[in-house]
């Protein structure tokens, strides 16, 4: 695999040709914030928090670092006033949905974001897709899916699958940047398969 030399924040970084800018930055110890990225999952490009400025042949533009492939002589800037302002706005928009997310509160502190800038529409799900994609790509169970579209888009557990697969798994729980996923699961469990869950609980207590 051929080696590519690029520059990130003024530092020469060696990468392999299959790497994204995010992977190259991380390999060099350079931090780029992410929300929807997970190293076990295919790049998704949903949150845009990883936006960086890249320059090729004297032309600069903003791209998602988790999607953008490395190129020879690429110049990457992970913090410019424009990049930081965009990240701050993204955090503020996300906080309108989940103002108490610890992950967002940390990011808000880092970028000076105001969690009250936008009207609250506390849906609590940030639509990062980590739960849906992890269940699909890693566990290959498809117990969680996106439903609806636009402003109504949300995640749902599929009761028929969740009742069989989720009780002993729950690997998606720690991936969620908010409390929504756990709440959605326990609501589904309570409404759709309470008997299975109570019976199993009784068995495990014996
Ligand atoms: S429930 Fe959590 S992990 Fe799943 S899409 Fe929403 S915010 Fe992301
Ligand atoms: S981490 Fe790159 S778009 Fe979400």
């Amino acid at each position: 695999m051929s080696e590519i030399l690029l520059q990130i924040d003024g530092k020469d970084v060696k990468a392999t040709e299959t790497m994204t800018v995010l992977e190259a930055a991380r390999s060099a110890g350079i931090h780029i914030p992410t929300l929807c990225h997970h190293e076990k999952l295919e790049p998704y490009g949903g949150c845009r928090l990883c936006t960086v400025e890249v320059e090729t042949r004297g032309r600069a533009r903003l791209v998602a670092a988790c999607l953008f492939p490395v190129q020879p002589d690429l110049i990457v800037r992970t913090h410019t006033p424009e990049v930081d302002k965009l990240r701050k706005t993204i955090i503020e928009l996300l906080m309108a949905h989940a103002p108490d997310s610890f992950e967002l509160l940390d990011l808000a502190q880092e970028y000076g974001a105001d969690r009250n800038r936008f009207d609250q529409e506390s849906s609590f799900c940030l639509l990062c897709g980590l739960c849906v994609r992890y269940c699909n790509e890693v566990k290959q169970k498809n117990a969680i899916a996106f439903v609806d579209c636009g402003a109504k888009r949300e995640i749902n557990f599929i009761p028929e699958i969740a009742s069989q697969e989720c009780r002993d798994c729950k690997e998606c729980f720690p991936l969620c940047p908010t409390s929504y996923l756990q709440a959605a699961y326990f609501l589904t469990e309570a409404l759709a398969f309470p008997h299975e869950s109570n019976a199993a609980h009784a068995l495990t207590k014996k």
Side-chain angles (χ1 to χ4, degrees), residues 81-97 99 108 111-121:
E82 194 182 3
V83 163
D84 287 349
K85 190 174 166 197
L86 179 68
R87 286 188 193 145
K88 176 174 173 287
T89 303
I90 291 170
I91 296 161
E92 289 168 338
L93 284 165
L94 292 171
M95 288 191 109
H97 295 281
Y111 286 89
D114 172 5
R115 73 172 177 171
N116 298 313
R117 179 170 167 202
F118 296 104
D119 290 344
Q120 302 287 310
E121 311 163 20

Side-chain angles (χ1 to χ4, degrees), residues 4-204:
I4 283 178
L5 190 65
L6 67 159
Q7 197 187 80
I8 307 180
D9 292 344
K11 185 176 172 179
D12 288 338
V13 174
K14 283 182 190 158
T16 50
E17 58 189 350
T18 56
M19 279 181 161
T20 61
V21 166
L22 177 67
E23 289 167 334
R26 285 188 172 172
S27 75
I30 297 168
H31 173 68
I32 297 174
T34 59
L35 190 84
C36 69
H37 176 79
H38 189 290
E39 63 274 8
K40 287 188 181 168
L41 303 177
E42 289 296 313
Y44 186 58
C47 71
R48 299 281 150 172
L49 204 61
C50 66
T51 297
V52 293
E53 183 181 276
V54 294
E55 186 181 319
T56 40
R57 291 189 284 276
R59 202 176 132 250
R61 62 199 159 120
L62 299 181
V63 300
C66 70
L67 294 176
F68 199 81
V70 293
Q71 295 167 20
D73 303 323
L74 189 71
I75 297 170
V76 182
R77 299 178 192 97
T78 69
H79 282 284
T80 68
E82 194 182 3
V83 163
D84 287 349
K85 190 174 166 197
L86 179 68
R87 286 188 193 145
K88 176 174 173 287
T89 303
I90 291 170
I91 296 161
E92 289 168 338
L93 284 165
L94 292 171
M95 288 191 109
H97 295 281
D100 298 322
S101 156
F102 291 125
E103 212 164 317
L104 292 181
L105 286 167
D106 285 348
L107 284 163
Q109 197 170 26
E110 189 179 342
Y111 286 89
D114 172 5
R115 73 172 177 171
N116 298 313
R117 179 170 167 202
F118 296 104
D119 290 344
Q120 302 287 310
E121 311 163 20
S122 300
S123 58
F124 303 106
C125 176
L126 303 177
L127 301 176
C128 68
L130 284 170
C131 56
V132 174
R133 292 181 291 130
Y134 189 88
C135 193
N136 175 353
E137 294 175 33
V138 177
K139 304 300 294 184
Q140 302 190 337
K141 300 297 183 192
N142 298 307
I144 321 170
F146 280 117
V147 291
D148 273 330
C149 49
K152 289 186 170 169
R153 189 166 160 86
E154 59 180 19
I155 62 106
N156 266 355
F157 282 86
I158 314 297
E160 296 77 12
I161 306 176
S163 63
Q164 301 301 313
E165 305 292 346
C166 295
R167 199 178 48 236
D168 296 325
C169 174
K170 300 192 179 81
E171 286 176 28
C172 58
F173 280 14
L175 305 182
C176 180
T178 78
S179 54
Y180 185 79
L181 183 65
Q182 291 200 43
Y185 173 74
F186 288 117
L187 185 65
T188 309
E189 186 184 67
L191 293 176
F193 48 96
H195 300 305
E196 288 101 317
S197 97
N198 289 343
H201 190 60
L203 279 174
T204 53

